[in-house]
Amino acid sequence: MNILGYTIGEVAIIAANFTCNVALVNSVKFIQYTLHYPYPLLISAMHMIFSWLACGVYVKFNVPALREYTFSRYMKEVFPVAAMASASIGCGNMALKYIFPSFHELLQQTSPAAQVLVCVLIYHQHYNLPTYLSMIPICGGAIMCSGGEVNFNVIGVTFSIGAVLTRALKNTMQSRLMTTSFTNIELLYVLAPANLFFFLTGSFLFEGLFEPTRQLISTPNALVAVVFSALLACTYNLLAFKMLQVLSPVGAMV
């Protein structure tokens, strides 16, 4: 049985990805706003640790394709994807310090247009006219709805749009890796250590070396919430990679 050309399993992946994304965004906002733990970069680092461990167990900490990668090839093909992934996640979590999840998710609806721009301007891909025209109602509605937002914050909006642009770059680059070298789980396993490096470096520089960890350990509610959020992030990351196998990068952004 197909729904709009997709199997039931593919529709389930798309729906689960959307649900998990909403839950993840709200969990991060809850940790920062309600539990007063304002360290989004360390939260992101915890997300990566759980994702790496979960994928590592699945692949038995062994990715044969990775053996073919020299250090220079890894830095050229994998490291940039990790940089964009880290920037996207970091910007998204930073945005939630300043704006509410509902407004952040509204701004994320401009993602399809950003994805098309990246594919056309950087990767010289071409789409048919209906694709370009569809960007008007998809993204135009989000822009119209954001007008008059009572919780508008320039810093938060900047981070949110930054998440859109860097995710567009990341999706395009990682979709190519998934078709040439790695499966979805292998790629997440390979990217996680580099992502962790970026998040920990950013956390040490901008959030402090000891205070985030000390506060996390001394606040049981925050620790439990961060662990739960990390489990959500792990699930979402896996679903996001699976969805890229079902949809194109542009379709995944819609």
Side-chain angles (χ1 to χ4, degrees):
M1 179 180 177
N2 289 344
I3 301 176
L4 298 177
Y6 299 104
T7 66
I8 295 296
E10 291 171 342
V11 171
I13 290 173
I14 296 170
N17 179 272
F18 175 79
T19 303
C20 196
N21 179 43
V22 172
L24 176 60
V25 168
N26 280 279
S27 73
V28 174
K29 184 64 177 181
F30 176 79
I31 293 168
Q32 297 185 70
Y33 186 75
T34 304
L35 299 182
H36 307 291
Y37 186 76
Y39 303 108
L41 295 177
L42 188 63
I43 293 172
S44 301
M46 291 289 290
H47 290 175
M48 282 301 109
I49 291 173
F50 272 71
S51 296
W52 181 79
L53 287 173
C55 293
V57 170
Y58 186 86
V59 301
K60 299 179 181 179
F61 297 96
N62 180 37
V63 179
L66 190 59
R67 298 172 190 162
E68 301 176 6
Y69 276 71
T70 61
F71 178 76
S72 60
R73 185 184 177 190
Y74 180 90
M75 294 299 292
K76 181 180 179 181
E77 297 183 14
V78 177
F79 203 70
V81 181
M84 290 300 103
S86 301
S88 175
I89 297 170
C91 283
N93 288 347
M94 287 294 292
L96 292 172
K97 287 185 66 175
Y98 303 98
I99 58 178
F100 282 96
S102 56
F103 185 36
H104 173 63
E105 286 299 303
L106 186 62
L107 293 173
Q108 299 307 293
Q109 301 312 306
T110 60
S111 295
Q115 187 68 66
V116 169
L117 283 175
V118 166
C119 290
V120 171
L121 297 180
I122 298 179
Y123 293 96
H124 307 293
Q125 297 180 9
H126 299 284
Y127 299 94
N128 55 28
L129 182 60
T131 299
Y132 295 114
L133 293 178
S134 68
M135 296 299 107
I136 298 175
I138 293 174
C139 303
I143 295 172
M144 291 177 62
C145 291
S146 64
E149 169 63 38
V150 295
N151 298 308
F152 185 88
N153 181 284
V154 174
I155 298 176
V157 170
T158 301
F159 276 122
S160 187
I161 296 300
V164 169
L165 295 174
T166 50
R167 185 167 63 250
L169 284 166
K170 182 262 298 182
N171 279 352
T172 304
M173 291 188 290
Q174 79 180 18
S175 66
R176 297 188 174 200
L177 278 178
M178 288 171 63
T179 57
T180 58
S181 300
F182 304 105
T183 66
N184 55 322
I185 294 180
E186 288 176 344
L187 184 56
L188 181 55
Y189 174 76
V190 169
L191 290 176
N195 288 337
L196 181 61
F197 166 78
F198 285 118
F199 288 135
L200 287 179
T201 301
S203 180
F204 292 157
L205 291 175
F206 301 109
E207 297 175 344
L209 189 59
F210 301 111
E211 181 58 23
T213 303
R214 185 200 66 78
Q215 189 171 332
L216 183 63
I217 295 174
S218 62
T219 311
N221 288 343
L223 180 59
V224 171
V226 168
V227 170
F228 178 73
S229 180
L231 292 173
L232 280 175
C234 178
T235 305
Y236 170 73
N237 284 330
L238 291 173
L239 288 171
F241 280 109
K242 289 293 291 183
M243 195 166 70
L244 272 178
Q245 291 182 326
V246 175
L247 304 171
S248 67
V250 174
M253 294 292 260
V254 175

PDB file of all heavy atoms in Angstrom, residues 232-252:
ATOM      1  N   LEU A 232      16.518  11.199  22.875  1.00  0.00           N
ATOM      2  CA  LEU A 232      15.698  11.732  21.783  1.00  0.00           C
ATOM      3  C   LEU A 232      16.574  12.150  20.603  1.00  0.00           C
ATOM      4  O   LEU A 232      16.241  11.891  19.442  1.00  0.00           O
ATOM      5  CB  LEU A 232      14.894  12.941  22.267  1.00  0.00           C
ATOM      6  CG  LEU A 232      13.622  12.680  23.067  1.00  0.00           C
ATOM      7  CD1 LEU A 232      13.036  14.000  23.562  1.00  0.00           C
ATOM      8  CD2 LEU A 232      12.596  11.932  22.226  1.00  0.00           C
ATOM      9  N   ALA A 233      17.697  12.798  20.913  1.00  0.00           N
ATOM     10  CA  ALA A 233      18.602  13.252  19.850  1.00  0.00           C
ATOM     11  C   ALA A 233      19.160  12.077  19.069  1.00  0.00           C
ATOM     12  O   ALA A 233      19.269  12.130  17.835  1.00  0.00           O
ATOM     13  CB  ALA A 233      19.737  14.076  20.453  1.00  0.00           C
ATOM     14  N   CYS A 234      19.518  11.027  19.782  1.00  0.00           N
ATOM     15  CA  CYS A 234      20.037   9.826  19.123  1.00  0.00           C
ATOM     16  C   CYS A 234      18.992   9.248  18.171  1.00  0.00           C
ATOM     17  O   CYS A 234      19.289   8.927  17.016  1.00  0.00           O
ATOM     18  CB  CYS A 234      20.436   8.801  20.179  1.00  0.00           C
ATOM     19  SG  CYS A 234      21.045   7.251  19.493  1.00  0.00           S
ATOM     20  N   THR A 235      17.759   9.148  18.654  1.00  0.00           N
ATOM     21  CA  THR A 235      16.672   8.622  17.824  1.00  0.00           C
ATOM     22  C   THR A 235      16.416   9.522  16.623  1.00  0.00           C
ATOM     23  O   THR A 235      16.256   9.052  15.491  1.00  0.00           O
ATOM     24  CB  THR A 235      15.383   8.501  18.657  1.00  0.00           C
ATOM     25  OG1 THR A 235      15.641   7.701  19.809  1.00  0.00           O
ATOM     26  CG2 THR A 235      14.272   7.862  17.839  1.00  0.00           C
ATOM     27  N   TYR A 236      16.403  10.826  16.878  1.00  0.00           N
ATOM     28  CA  TYR A 236      16.149  11.777  15.788  1.00  0.00           C
ATOM     29  C   TYR A 236      17.248  11.715  14.729  1.00  0.00           C
ATOM     30  O   TYR A 236      16.964  11.750  13.522  1.00  0.00           O
ATOM     31  CB  TYR A 236      16.043  13.194  16.346  1.00  0.00           C
ATOM     32  CG  TYR A 236      16.012  14.250  15.268  1.00  0.00           C
ATOM     33  CD1 TYR A 236      14.883  14.421  14.474  1.00  0.00           C
ATOM     34  CD2 TYR A 236      17.121  15.058  15.026  1.00  0.00           C
ATOM     35  CE1 TYR A 236      14.851  15.374  13.467  1.00  0.00           C
ATOM     36  CE2 TYR A 236      17.093  16.012  14.024  1.00  0.00           C
ATOM     37  CZ  TYR A 236      15.962  16.165  13.251  1.00  0.00           C
ATOM     38  OH  TYR A 236      15.943  17.102  12.254  1.00  0.00           O
ATOM     39  N   ASN A 237      18.496  11.632  15.156  1.00  0.00           N
ATOM     40  CA  ASN A 237      19.601  11.568  14.196  1.00  0.00           C
ATOM     41  C   ASN A 237      19.492  10.342  13.298  1.00  0.00           C
ATOM     42  O   ASN A 237      19.704  10.416  12.079  1.00  0.00           O
ATOM     43  CB  ASN A 237      20.940  11.555  14.937  1.00  0.00           C
ATOM     44  CG  ASN A 237      21.322  12.918  15.481  1.00  0.00           C
ATOM     45  OD1 ASN A 237      20.960  13.942  14.909  1.00  0.00           O
ATOM     46  ND2 ASN A 237      22.029  12.945  16.594  1.00  0.00           N
ATOM     47  N   LEU A 238      19.164   9.216  13.900  1.00  0.00           N
ATOM     48  CA  LEU A 238      19.011   7.993  13.109  1.00  0.00           C
ATOM     49  C   LEU A 238      17.854   8.127  12.120  1.00  0.00           C
ATOM     50  O   LEU A 238      17.967   7.739  10.953  1.00  0.00           O
ATOM     51  CB  LEU A 238      18.781   6.801  14.034  1.00  0.00           C
ATOM     52  CG  LEU A 238      19.977   6.369  14.891  1.00  0.00           C
ATOM     53  CD1 LEU A 238      19.562   5.301  15.888  1.00  0.00           C
ATOM     54  CD2 LEU A 238      21.106   5.848  14.006  1.00  0.00           C
ATOM     55  N   LEU A 239      16.744   8.691  12.596  1.00  0.00           N
ATOM     56  CA  LEU A 239      15.584   8.869  11.717  1.00  0.00           C
ATOM     57  C   LEU A 239      15.882   9.867  10.600  1.00  0.00           C
ATOM     58  O   LEU A 239      15.419   9.702   9.469  1.00  0.00           O
ATOM     59  CB  LEU A 239      14.382   9.345  12.538  1.00  0.00           C
ATOM     60  CG  LEU A 239      13.745   8.302  13.457  1.00  0.00           C
ATOM     61  CD1 LEU A 239      12.722   8.961  14.376  1.00  0.00           C
ATOM     62  CD2 LEU A 239      13.085   7.194  12.639  1.00  0.00           C
ATOM     63  N   ALA A 240      16.665  10.906  10.918  1.00  0.00           N
ATOM     64  CA  ALA A 240      17.005  11.904   9.906  1.00  0.00           C
ATOM     65  C   ALA A 240      17.830  11.288   8.784  1.00  0.00           C
ATOM     66  O   ALA A 240      17.623  11.586   7.601  1.00  0.00           O
ATOM     67  CB  ALA A 240      17.764  13.062  10.557  1.00  0.00           C
ATOM     68  N   PHE A 241      18.766  10.419   9.146  1.00  0.00           N
ATOM     69  CA  PHE A 241      19.563   9.743   8.128  1.00  0.00           C
ATOM     70  C   PHE A 241      18.696   8.795   7.301  1.00  0.00           C
ATOM     71  O   PHE A 241      18.853   8.698   6.083  1.00  0.00           O
ATOM     72  CB  PHE A 241      20.712   8.973   8.775  1.00  0.00           C
ATOM     73  CG  PHE A 241      21.886   9.839   9.149  1.00  0.00           C
ATOM     74  CD1 PHE A 241      22.171  10.120  10.469  1.00  0.00           C
ATOM     75  CD2 PHE A 241      22.703  10.376   8.174  1.00  0.00           C
ATOM     76  CE1 PHE A 241      23.247  10.917  10.813  1.00  0.00           C
ATOM     77  CE2 PHE A 241      23.788  11.177   8.506  1.00  0.00           C
ATOM     78  CZ  PHE A 241      24.061  11.447   9.829  1.00  0.00           C
ATOM     79  N   LYS A 242      17.786   8.096   7.976  1.00  0.00           N
ATOM     80  CA  LYS A 242      16.887   7.197   7.251  1.00  0.00           C
ATOM     81  C   LYS A 242      15.996   7.984   6.295  1.00  0.00           C
ATOM     82  O   LYS A 242      15.722   7.540   5.175  1.00  0.00           O
ATOM     83  CB  LYS A 242      16.020   6.413   8.244  1.00  0.00           C
ATOM     84  CG  LYS A 242      16.754   5.368   9.047  1.00  0.00           C
ATOM     85  CD  LYS A 242      17.241   4.218   8.185  1.00  0.00           C
ATOM     86  CE  LYS A 242      16.110   3.378   7.653  1.00  0.00           C
ATOM     87  NZ  LYS A 242      16.615   2.211   6.872  1.00  0.00           N
ATOM     88  N   MET A 243      15.559   9.166   6.735  1.00  0.00           N
ATOM     89  CA  MET A 243      14.673   9.962   5.894  1.00  0.00           C
ATOM     90  C   MET A 243      15.395  10.463   4.650  1.00  0.00           C
ATOM     91  O   MET A 243      14.792  10.618   3.589  1.00  0.00           O
ATOM     92  CB  MET A 243      14.098  11.138   6.689  1.00  0.00           C
ATOM     93  CG  MET A 243      12.897  11.791   6.005  1.00  0.00           C
ATOM     94  SD  MET A 243      11.971  12.893   7.083  1.00  0.00           S
ATOM     95  CE  MET A 243      13.132  14.237   7.242  1.00  0.00           C
ATOM     96  N   LEU A 244      16.694  10.724   4.769  1.00  0.00           N
ATOM     97  CA  LEU A 244      17.455  11.147   3.595  1.00  0.00           C
ATOM     98  C   LEU A 244      17.548  10.033   2.553  1.00  0.00           C
ATOM     99  O   LEU A 244      17.748  10.302   1.371  1.00  0.00           O
ATOM    100  CB  LEU A 244      18.861  11.592   4.002  1.00  0.00           C
ATOM    101  CG  LEU A 244      19.027  13.065   4.390  1.00  0.00           C
ATOM    102  CD1 LEU A 244      20.457  13.334   4.816  1.00  0.00           C
ATOM    103  CD2 LEU A 244      18.634  13.983   3.246  1.00  0.00           C
ATOM    104  N   GLN A 245      17.422   8.789   3.010  1.00  0.00           N
ATOM    105  CA  GLN A 245      17.401   7.680   2.064  1.00  0.00           C
ATOM    106  C   GLN A 245      16.052   7.595   1.352  1.00  0.00           C
ATOM    107  O   GLN A 245      15.962   7.114   0.226  1.00  0.00           O
ATOM    108  CB  GLN A 245      17.684   6.363   2.786  1.00  0.00           C
ATOM    109  CG  GLN A 245      19.119   6.241   3.295  1.00  0.00           C
ATOM    110  CD  GLN A 245      19.372   4.903   3.963  1.00  0.00           C
ATOM    111  OE1 GLN A 245      18.485   4.338   4.608  1.00  0.00           O
ATOM    112  NE2 GLN A 245      20.573   4.384   3.814  1.00  0.00           N
ATOM    113  N   VAL A 246      15.004   8.058   2.034  1.00  0.00           N
ATOM    114  CA  VAL A 246      13.658   8.010   1.465  1.00  0.00           C
ATOM    115  C   VAL A 246      13.404   9.215   0.565  1.00  0.00           C
ATOM    116  O   VAL A 246      12.834   9.091  -0.519  1.00  0.00           O
ATOM    117  CB  VAL A 246      12.602   7.960   2.595  1.00  0.00           C
ATOM    118  CG1 VAL A 246      11.189   8.023   2.020  1.00  0.00           C
ATOM    119  CG2 VAL A 246      12.783   6.703   3.429  1.00  0.00           C
ATOM    120  N   LEU A 247      13.847  10.398   1.019  1.00  0.00           N
ATOM    121  CA  LEU A 247      13.587  11.642   0.306  1.00  0.00           C
ATOM    122  C   LEU A 247      14.888  12.243  -0.208  1.00  0.00           C
ATOM    123  O   LEU A 247      15.972  11.880   0.234  1.00  0.00           O
ATOM    124  CB  LEU A 247      12.899  12.652   1.240  1.00  0.00           C
ATOM    125  CG  LEU A 247      11.597  12.201   1.905  1.00  0.00           C
ATOM    126  CD1 LEU A 247      11.180  13.220   2.949  1.00  0.00           C
ATOM    127  CD2 LEU A 247      10.499  12.015   0.876  1.00  0.00           C
ATOM    128  N   SER A 248      14.770  13.183  -1.112  1.00  0.00           N
ATOM    129  CA  SER A 248      15.923  13.970  -1.537  1.00  0.00           C
ATOM    130  C   SER A 248      16.249  14.974  -0.438  1.00  0.00           C
ATOM    131  O   SER A 248      15.440  15.185   0.473  1.00  0.00           O
ATOM    132  CB  SER A 248      15.595  14.716  -2.830  1.00  0.00           C
ATOM    133  OG  SER A 248      14.593  15.698  -2.583  1.00  0.00           O
ATOM    134  N   PRO A 249      17.427  15.634  -0.489  1.00  0.00           N
ATOM    135  CA  PRO A 249      17.716  16.660   0.511  1.00  0.00           C
ATOM    136  C   PRO A 249      16.646  17.739   0.589  1.00  0.00           C
ATOM    137  O   PRO A 249      16.291  18.195   1.670  1.00  0.00           O
ATOM    138  CB  PRO A 249      19.062  17.230   0.038  1.00  0.00           C
ATOM    139  CG  PRO A 249      19.721  16.087  -0.658  1.00  0.00           C
ATOM    140  CD  PRO A 249      18.596  15.364  -1.351  1.00  0.00           C
ATOM    141  N   VAL A 250      16.108  18.155  -0.573  1.00  0.00           N
ATOM    142  CA  VAL A 250      15.051  19.169  -0.568  1.00  0.00           C
ATOM    143  C   VAL A 250      13.787  18.611   0.062  1.00  0.00           C
ATOM    144  O   VAL A 250      13.135  19.255   0.887  1.00  0.00           O
ATOM    145  CB  VAL A 250      14.763  19.672  -2.001  1.00  0.00           C
ATOM    146  CG1 VAL A 250      13.560  20.607  -2.009  1.00  0.00           C
ATOM    147  CG2 VAL A 250      15.978  20.387  -2.568  1.00  0.00           C
ATOM    148  N   GLY A 251      13.430  17.390  -0.308  1.00  0.00           N
ATOM    149  CA  GLY A 251      12.235  16.771   0.259  1.00  0.00           C
ATOM    150  C   GLY A 251      12.344  16.588   1.755  1.00  0.00           C
ATOM    151  O   GLY A 251      11.367  16.761   2.494  1.00  0.00           O
ATOM    152  N   ALA A 252      13.527  16.250   2.235  1.00  0.00           N
ATOM    153  CA  ALA A 252      13.726  16.066   3.669  1.00  0.00           C
ATOM    154  C   ALA A 252      13.546  17.374   4.425  1.00  0.00           C
ATOM    155  O   ALA A 252      13.075  17.390   5.564  1.00  0.00           O
ATOM    156  CB  ALA A 252      15.121  15.500   3.936  1.00  0.00           C
TER     157      ALA A 252
END
